[in-house]
Amino acid sequence: MGEAVKKEVFIEPPFITLGQLLKEEAVVGSGGQAKWFLKEHAVDVNGEPDDRRGRKLYPGDTVDVKDVGLFFIRLNQAE
């Protein structure tokens, strides 16, 4: 497996769910796979373990997917 990435993820307000993040970043192929992925892999949101695919992520949140990457949630600025 390659080296873990560090990436800023720009979202539309007000939030994105953890499952959506995993799908959009190609960690999983579908939202349904996110549920199983989260049961099998360690994921920290803002330094705390979380396995809820419906967890709302807001600008400023940090998601650490072990052996995959660190994702920084940012607000998508229109201009």
Side-chain angles (χ1 to χ4, degrees):
M1 182 176 279
E3 189 173 321
V5 298
K6 291 185 179 177
K7 181 177 180 185
E8 288 186 314
V9 178
F10 293 91
I11 67 169
E12 296 297 326
F15 63 86
I16 186 173
T17 66
L18 183 53
Q20 288 172 320
L21 173 73
L22 294 175
K23 183 178 175 190
E24 288 186 14
E25 294 304 314
V27 177
V28 297
S30 71
Q33 290 177 336
K35 179 179 180 178
W36 303 110
F37 180 89
L38 290 167
K39 295 293 181 201
E40 300 291 326
H41 298 84
V43 176
D44 291 345
V45 177
N46 300 326
E48 298 290 327
D50 204 323
D51 64 357
R52 299 171 294 159
R53 68 179 174 172
R55 165 72 186 259
K56 294 177 182 176
L57 305 172
Y58 296 93
D61 286 345
T62 302
V63 179
D64 185 2
V65 182
K66 304 295 187 237
D67 299 323
V68 174
L70 188 60
F71 301 94
F72 306 96
I73 309 303
R74 302 288 185 253
L75 183 62
N76 190 5
Q77 301 289 344
E79 300 290 320

